[in-house]
Amino acid sequence: SMLIGTDAIRLWESILLLLVTTITLVVTLVFCGIVLTNFTSPDFDDTAVSQLRGWRLNIAHMYSEVDKITGITLASRVCNLDRGLATSAGQAATIEAIRNYMPRETGWITSGPAMCVTALVLWYLTLLKDFADIWRCCFGFIFLPTLGGDKVVLTAESISLVSIA
């Protein structure tokens, strides 16, 4: 991307390089936005946990909420994700969301934590590679000889900046 707009590469190559660099920047910013909006605030804060605890203690085990036919408590019906609940559907949805996120016996790789760690590791590795490329470029410019003018050597395999003014 440092050669964009220079005589070292043709105009259409500069445009293509600028387009690819812009796309990379946009994708990185979108990923950062996703991480910022989804991983910085918990879905279940202290208030939500307190409210769920209050529901469990005050409502879920009340005798009036026990199923008259089966004798199963509301808490058990919610935990078993009973689709016939007349009340407490929000609590059942919460339990389902937690179970979908947490690792299962059949496959831990599809769990929320495993997918999150995988995405973050790949992102950090990409950043590490980008920083290594930037370091090598800066290191190359520091030790580039100054011969009184810019000298770019084009070969079939590469472009080399031999000297800089």
Side-chain angles (χ1 to χ4, degrees):
S1 63
M2 295 185 66
L3 298 175
I4 294 175
T6 64
D7 293 334
I9 57 176
R10 293 182 283 258
L11 177 62
W12 69 269
E13 292 170 332
S14 287
I15 293 171
L16 183 63
L17 191 57
L18 181 63
L19 179 67
V20 170
T21 303
T22 304
I23 290 171
T24 302
L25 179 64
V26 168
V27 168
T28 301
L29 290 174
V30 167
F31 185 77
C32 288
I34 290 169
V35 168
L36 182 66
T37 58
N38 291 306
F39 297 128
T40 55
S41 63
D43 289 337
F44 302 105
D45 57 4
D46 292 337
T47 303
V49 171
S50 174
Q51 291 170 349
L52 288 169
R53 183 176 292 117
W55 171 85
R56 181 175 169 255
L57 295 174
N58 298 322
I59 297 170
H61 294 288
M62 287 177 55
Y63 181 73
S64 62
E65 297 295 330
V66 173
D67 187 308
K68 305 298 186 247
I69 298 171
T70 62
I72 299 174
T73 64
L74 180 60
S76 293
R77 293 177 65 205
V78 167
C79 289
N80 291 327
L81 302 176
D82 185 344
R83 299 292 180 203
L85 291 173
T87 61
S88 302
Q91 286 79 6
T94 299
I95 289 176
E96 189 171 22
I98 291 169
R99 287 182 182 165
N100 286 337
Y101 182 78
M102 297 306 293
R104 299 183 192 120
E105 300 84 29
T106 57
W108 64 270
I109 196 70
T110 59
S111 68
M115 297 302 286
C116 177
V117 168
T118 302
L120 288 174
V121 165
L122 291 174
W123 186 50
Y124 285 130
L125 289 174
T126 302
L127 285 178
L128 185 63
K129 181 197 169 294
D130 289 345
F131 285 131
D133 289 344
I134 291 169
W135 173 254
R136 280 194 299 271
C137 185
C138 292
F139 195 71
F141 275 126
I142 290 171
F143 291 103
L144 193 64
T146 56
L147 300 174
D150 296 342
K151 184 176 179 187
V152 177
V153 177
L154 298 171
T155 63
E157 295 85 28
S158 66
I159 299 173
S160 300
L161 185 59
V162 176
S163 69
I164 193 166

